[in-house]
Amino acid sequence: MATKVVDLRSDTVTKPSEAMRAAMAAADVEDDILGSDPTARRFEAEMARIMGKEAALFVPSGTMANLISVLVHCDTRGSEAILGDNSHIHVYEHGGISTLGGVHPRIVANNPDGTMDIDKIVAAIRSRDGSLYYPTTRLICLENTQGK
């Protein structure tokens, strides 16, 4: 059995094959912002089907996907997201959620294996009693990869 390694660590590390480049060059494209790109529509429909979801949205980078995900959950400026201290969002994307979304990151130490202790997560969640003084915790980000 032949084994081929596919490196999906980052959208900037992954390189398309010649067949992929040819498919991209030959793709039927229009303006996806106006919803008229047939290739993007087919791709989104297929991903929604595979994932068992009503719809899907193609975004060009993991950074954009993470930002959208945080902003969907923290839809009120001044919200708080609990992040692991080695999480990708904290290490590499902290500024985007703060600047664009007004989201306050609250950091919890990751264990060496990337997990976080539930007691530390619970302790980091802000009490509603302090809502005049503290941001409201609206999101806990748990990642299966770490920014080490």
Side-chain angles (χ1 to χ4, degrees):
M1 174 198 255
T3 302
K4 181 175 178 167
V5 174
V6 177
D7 188 345
L8 300 175
R9 288 176 295 156
S10 167
D11 50 347
T12 56
V13 171
T14 307
K15 303 291 186 209
S17 67
E18 287 306 314
M20 292 167 72
R21 289 179 192 277
M24 287 186 274
D28 184 15
V29 295
E30 299 256 352
D31 190 322
D32 67 314
I33 298 299
L34 300 176
S36 60
D37 185 317
T39 302
R41 283 199 323 263
R42 281 193 312 273
F43 179 70
E44 290 170 345
E46 179 64 7
M47 290 302 102
R49 185 192 67 74
I50 289 170
M51 301 305 293
K53 301 294 181 184
E54 181 178 322
L57 174 67
F58 172 72
V59 293
S61 73
T63 298
M64 185 182 291
N66 284 345
L67 178 61
I68 290 169
S69 297
V70 170
L71 297 184
V72 164
H73 293 285
C74 298
D75 59 345
T76 303
R77 289 189 70 80
S79 298
E80 182 172 74
I82 296 175
L83 310 170
D85 67 340
N86 286 320
S87 70
H88 190 87
I89 294 173
H90 171 60
V91 174
Y92 298 107
E93 301 168 357
H94 193 122
I97 67 171
S98 302
T99 303
L100 299 175
V103 177
H104 297 264
R106 184 155 168 108
I107 309 307
V108 171
N110 283 111
N111 295 320
D113 66 356
T115 61
M116 293 187 289
D117 292 335
I118 189 70
D119 294 337
K120 291 179 182 176
I121 294 171
V122 170
I125 298 172
R126 303 288 189 159
S127 166
R128 291 206 181 266
D129 296 340
S131 63
L132 290 175
Y133 309 105
Y134 303 114
T136 301
T137 303
R138 295 191 188 277
L139 178 65
I140 300 168
C141 296
L142 303 173
E143 296 185 10
N144 62 352
T145 59
Q146 298 300 303
K148 289 185 176 185

